[in-house]
């Protein structure tokens, strides 16, 4: 990665900017920009197991994607070790089921009581753990500096407990056995930290430190997106007791972190998150049926986040006009926008105007 790109990302993590906001832009190659065998065809998996577990298949599919894609500004190719959102639940023994587009997680079939969560610690013989570890190693070996490998989506701690226990049961547990929920959360936190440390060790040994995740942001130190989708169903008081301790634990173990705020149901918890000094920023995802991230209705939230000296992360399908609107309206300091553009010309326009807006 070029030095200026590193400087821009490092400034972003410092909640500042070099000369403009950080942009991860990419476009589908067309015409003369396309590869000789354009468009490169990804292979068809013979089964769902191959689609998710075969390093050979996944690397071939990714090679086709890279051949058809051009990156601009601070964009870079990265291959995520994707086994579904929150795969730590499966590593702890929860059921999982492959589908064409994602991996679904279900309850632990032998878990009868909340207290049983503490009995299901990480085992090196667990199938999901072995798959994630093996894919990570194979992807790293194949990368050879051509692309980055993104650490898998472990999930939020209480989301993992909810997967193992079931949402409805866990909601009841919050009232009937709050101490048990805290104990289960702490047990999952321990496994979360262990898996993160092991996977980060593999990635950093290969790269010398720099890493990325399912959120396409480069960092030269330990970082990870934090989240809790379950919190959309609970009050700020319950968030403070049951979720915030995990967030605070993780930010202490990481050099940098971004909180994945997913949907309007999580907005009531924004103030608590902004009060966590070590948390670097917020990624806002409006959710299905809501205006996209460039809508004016979200500007007060972005301004509130920036006023709290936190980064704003936007990863959405935006038009050129919507991207320029955000760049013109928001401070470039600590601002990251990732989107697909129609062409190199659109990318050049966004990059040029982003620099102009940052000077004004």
């Amino acid at each position: 990665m070029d030095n200026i790109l590193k400087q821009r990302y490092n400034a972003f993590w410092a909640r500042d900017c070099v000369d403009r906001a950080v942009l991860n832009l990419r476009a589908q190659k067309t015409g003369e920009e396309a590869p000789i065998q354009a468009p490169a065809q990804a292979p068809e998996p013979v089964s769902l197991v191959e689609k998710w577990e075969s390093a050979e298949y996944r690397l071939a599919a990714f090679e086709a994607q890279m051949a058809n894609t051009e990156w601009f500004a601070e964009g870079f190719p990265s291959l995520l070790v994707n086994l579904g959102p929150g795969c730590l639940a499966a590593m702890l023994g929860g059921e999982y089921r492959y589908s064409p587009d994602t991996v679904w997680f279900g309850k632990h079939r032998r878990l009868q009581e909340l207290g049983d969560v503490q009995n299901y610690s990480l085992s090196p013989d667990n199938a999901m753990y072995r798959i994630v570890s093996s894919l990570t190693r194979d992807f790293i070996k194949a990368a050879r500096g051509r692309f980055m490998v993104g650490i898998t989506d472990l999930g939020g701690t209480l989301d993992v407990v909810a997967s193992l226990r079931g949402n409805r049961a866990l909601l009841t547990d919050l009232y009937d056995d709050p101490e048990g929920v805290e104990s289960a959360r702490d047990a999952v936190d321990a496994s979360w930290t262990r898996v993160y440390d092991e996977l980060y060790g593999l990635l950093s040994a290969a790269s010398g430190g720099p890493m990325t995740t399912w959120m396409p942001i480069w960092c030269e130190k330990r970082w990870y997106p934090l989240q809790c989708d379950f919190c959309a169903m609970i009050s700020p008081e319950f968030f403070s007791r049951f979720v915030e301790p995990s967030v605070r634990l993780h930010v202490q173990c990481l050099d940098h972190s971004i909180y994945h705020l997913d949907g309007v149901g999580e907005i009531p918890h924004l103030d608590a998150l902004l009060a966590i000094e070590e948390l670097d920023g917020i990624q806002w995802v409006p959710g299905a049926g809501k205006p996209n991230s460039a809508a004016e209705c979200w500007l007060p939230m972005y301004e509130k986040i920036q006023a709290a000296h936190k980064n704003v992360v936007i990863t959405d399908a935006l038009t050129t006009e919507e991207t320029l609107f955000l760049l013109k309206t928001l401070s470039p300091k600590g601002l990251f926008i990732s989107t697909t553009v129609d062409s190199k010309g659109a990318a050049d326009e966004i990059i040029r105007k982003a620099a102009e807006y940052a000077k004004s």
Side-chain angles (χ1 to χ4, degrees):
M1 182 170 284
D2 295 342
N3 285 333
I4 185 60
L5 271 66
K6 295 179 182 178
Q7 292 173 22
R8 291 191 179 113
Y9 274 110
N10 286 337
F12 163 82
W13 288 117
R15 304 172 197 180
D16 203 344
C17 74
V18 173
D19 53 355
R20 56 168 171 77
V22 176
L23 302 167
N24 186 322
L25 306 177
R26 58 209 167 271
Q28 187 82 8
K29 289 182 179 179
T30 58
E32 295 181 356
E33 299 173 343
I36 295 175
Q37 297 178 348
Q41 297 296 313
E44 288 294 329
V46 298
S47 67
L48 288 175
V49 171
E50 181 182 52
K51 176 181 175 67
W52 292 101
E53 296 185 14
S54 168
E56 182 179 3
Y57 164 75
R58 294 182 64 165
L59 285 165
F62 182 70
E63 292 285 355
Q65 177 187 333
M66 282 204 302
N68 292 329
T69 306
E70 187 171 6
W71 285 265
F72 307 98
E74 287 69 61
F76 57 91
S78 63
L79 175 54
L80 173 64
V81 184
N82 178 21
L83 269 300
C87 66
L88 179 61
M91 294 185 193
L92 296 176
E95 295 183 350
Y96 61 95
R97 175 174 56 86
Y98 296 141
S99 73
D101 299 319
T102 190
V103 181
W104 297 100
F105 302 105
K107 299 179 184 179
H108 195 300
R109 65 178 62 187
R110 297 190 304 276
L111 193 153
Q112 300 297 323
E113 302 293 338
L114 176 64
D116 292 339
V117 173
Q118 300 171 68
N119 299 327
Y120 299 107
S121 59
L122 186 70
S123 168
D125 295 326
N126 174 272
M128 180 60 73
Y129 174 79
R130 288 189 285 105
I131 293 167
V132 169
S133 179
S134 177
L135 286 177
T136 301
R137 295 174 188 274
D138 289 340
F139 291 176
I140 289 172
K141 184 178 179 180
R144 301 191 304 274
R146 298 180 303 121
F147 58 86
M148 296 192 71
V149 177
I151 194 170
T152 198
D153 185 347
L154 296 172
T157 299
L158 214 61
D159 291 337
V160 172
V161 177
S163 290
L164 296 171
R165 180 75 170 135
N167 284 335
R168 182 175 297 180
L170 183 56
L171 286 168
T172 301
D173 294 334
L174 296 176
Y175 292 93
D176 292 349
D177 189 7
E179 291 79 13
V181 174
E182 290 173 325
S183 296
R185 176 201 65 204
D186 294 346
V188 172
D189 268 335
S191 294
W192 193 103
T193 302
R194 175 183 165 186
V195 175
Y196 178 88
D197 287 346
E198 291 180 6
L199 295 177
Y200 175 76
L202 294 175
L203 294 170
S204 62
S207 68
M211 63 166 296
T212 190
T213 70
W214 59 263
M215 200 179 291
I217 305 177
W218 181 91
C219 184
E220 65 179 1
K221 297 181 179 180
R222 293 164 56 97
W223 98 271
Y224 204 74
L226 305 177
Q227 67 186 86
C228 180
D229 293 346
F230 182 80
C231 77
M233 296 182 282
I234 63 177
S235 68
E237 291 75 20
F238 276 11
F239 182 89
S240 176
R241 177 170 182 178
F242 299 110
V243 179
E244 190 174 333
S246 285
V247 178
R248 290 188 176 275
L249 172 69
H250 295 317
V251 297
Q252 293 293 334
C253 297
L254 299 166
D255 293 305
H256 295 293
S257 54
I258 299 293
Y259 193 91
H260 169 66
L261 197 70
D262 192 353
V264 295
E266 297 189 22
I267 293 177
H269 310 307
L270 179 59
D271 287 344
L273 292 166
L274 295 180
I276 300 175
E277 182 178 355
E278 298 88 348
L279 183 68
D280 288 280
I282 303 292
Q283 179 210 27
W284 169 238
V285 179
K290 301 297 180 182
N292 77 1
S293 300
E296 290 191 28
C297 61
W298 310 127
L299 292 183
M301 186 192 328
Y302 295 145
E303 292 166 354
K304 181 177 186 176
I305 294 169
Q306 292 194 321
H309 304 290
K310 302 293 187 185
N311 293 350
V312 169
V313 172
I314 299 171
T315 57
D316 206 344
L318 305 174
T319 65
T320 298
E321 291 72 22
E322 289 171 333
T323 303
L324 293 176
F325 169 74
L326 290 171
L327 290 168
K328 186 175 183 178
T329 306
L330 301 176
S331 169
K333 295 183 177 181
L335 177 61
F336 174 91
I337 298 178
S338 174
T339 193
T340 300
V341 295
D342 294 332
S343 64
K344 182 180 184 300
D348 290 342
E349 179 184 10
I350 291 171
I351 294 168
R352 176 176 57 81
K353 290 193 174 180
E356 292 179 4
Y357 296 151
K359 294 177 182 177
S360 60

